[in-house]
Amino acid sequence: MRFKALASLVAGITFTLGHIYADTIPAIVFTDSFTHETTNYNPGGNPWGTLNFNSFQNWNVTRGSVDFKNVNGVFPSLWYNNPSAPFSPSFSFIDLDGTTNQSGQITSKTPFNLAPGNYKLSFDLAGNMGRGPNNSDGVTVRLDGLGISQHYELPWNQDFTTHEIDFTVTTPTTTEISFANESDDPSTLNDNLGPMLANINLQNLTGGVANVPEPGTIVIGIGLICGIYLARRFQRKHKAAITV
């Protein structure tokens, strides 16, 4: 009986320590850096991208047109060779105003079924290095099922910068994600020079895997508790002997 009691105590301590020290690791819900799109375009006429690309694996072009840019670290490309605006991404990206004079929008093909929890949507945006210094260009990000809409106005020479949207889901919700070329400066729309989008990531900040303490930490904790347990039993026996 004493052994069972001690075993139950140790198990309880281990469970408690694991929860006290647990640290939730964010879980990736979705990620897209567009690198896999290289299998879908023909680089023969334009080795660094494809104009009016509409064969994305994870996105539908739901308005206008967009251009796909497979830079892959080659710089300068013909389009971005602007000495006054250094620009050298080492990753693929999208120009949200394609080459049809119709500013574009992409929307996720598959809706996301989000459980209650805290989430973070991150993505990289850049201005269009081909336009002049007196113009800005804009991107609106929407999570329709959650009623979230965030607009970013970008200077013409802004290099890729990471932006984040933190949000909380209180009940199970289905949502799409969209990125649209919309701007406070109407003169920058529908001109085939759009803002750039790359490296999209959606994380569940509360639904990840528990990062439990190292085994050594748990062993030390168990040892301390067991020591206290045995010391108290010794004290009770000692008091009982004195009483007798």
Side-chain angles (χ1 to χ4, degrees):
M1 292 297 292
R2 291 176 184 174
F3 176 78
K4 288 184 178 180
L6 182 59
S8 298
L9 178 62
V10 170
I13 294 167
T14 304
F15 179 82
T16 302
L17 285 173
H19 278 68
I20 290 174
Y21 290 99
D23 181 22
T24 301
I25 299 174
I28 300 297
V29 178
F30 172 79
T31 184
D32 194 353
S33 60
F34 304 115
T35 55
H36 50 273
E37 308 296 353
T38 56
T39 59
N40 291 343
Y41 80 100
N42 180 6
N46 209 344
W48 46 270
T50 299
L51 305 180
N52 306 321
F53 188 73
N54 59 8
S55 299
F56 294 101
Q57 293 189 24
N58 296 318
W59 306 90
N60 290 318
V61 179
T62 50
R63 189 183 73 199
S65 60
V66 301
D67 295 336
F68 171 59
K69 302 302 174 184
N70 181 41
V71 174
N72 286 336
V74 178
F75 177 79
S77 69
L78 297 176
W79 202 37
Y80 295 105
N81 189 7
N82 188 336
S84 61
F87 183 75
S88 54
S90 59
F91 44 78
S92 299
F93 57 93
I94 293 173
D95 173 0
L96 284 170
D97 195 339
T99 315
T100 61
N101 294 113
Q102 293 180 311
S103 295
Q105 172 179 289
I106 61 170
T107 303
S108 53
K109 285 185 176 180
T110 304
F112 301 101
N113 299 312
L114 303 182
N118 297 319
Y119 292 82
K120 181 189 296 290
L121 174 65
S122 65
F123 43 89
D124 292 346
L125 297 176
N128 193 297
M129 308 300 163
R131 74 172 66 258
N134 297 322
N135 299 109
S136 64
D137 214 341
V139 177
T140 301
V141 185
R142 295 183 177 90
L143 292 91
D144 295 326
L146 295 164
I148 295 173
S149 178
Q150 182 67 50
H151 182 75
Y152 302 88
E153 201 69 17
L154 310 168
W156 72 283
N157 60 348
Q158 178 178 309
D159 206 343
F160 274 104
T161 303
T162 300
H163 299 269
E164 297 177 343
I165 299 176
D166 292 297
F167 61 95
T168 299
V169 175
T170 55
T171 58
T173 302
T174 299
T175 185
E176 296 175 334
I177 301 174
S178 65
F179 296 86
N181 178 200
E182 299 172 352
S183 179
D184 297 336
D185 183 356
S187 68
T188 65
L189 299 175
N190 307 315
D191 63 356
N192 300 341
L193 295 173
M196 269 74 79
L197 168 68
N199 302 322
I200 302 165
N201 294 284
L202 177 61
Q203 292 180 303
N204 183 345
L205 302 180
T206 55
V209 179
N211 182 19
V212 298
E214 295 181 359
T217 304
I218 296 179
V219 170
I220 291 172
I222 293 174
L224 288 173
I225 300 300
C226 288
I228 294 171
Y229 173 81
L230 293 174
R232 287 181 177 174
R233 286 193 58 81
F234 177 79
Q235 270 188 333
R236 285 197 295 269
K237 284 186 177 181
H238 184 65
K239 287 181 179 179
I242 294 175
T243 303
V244 174

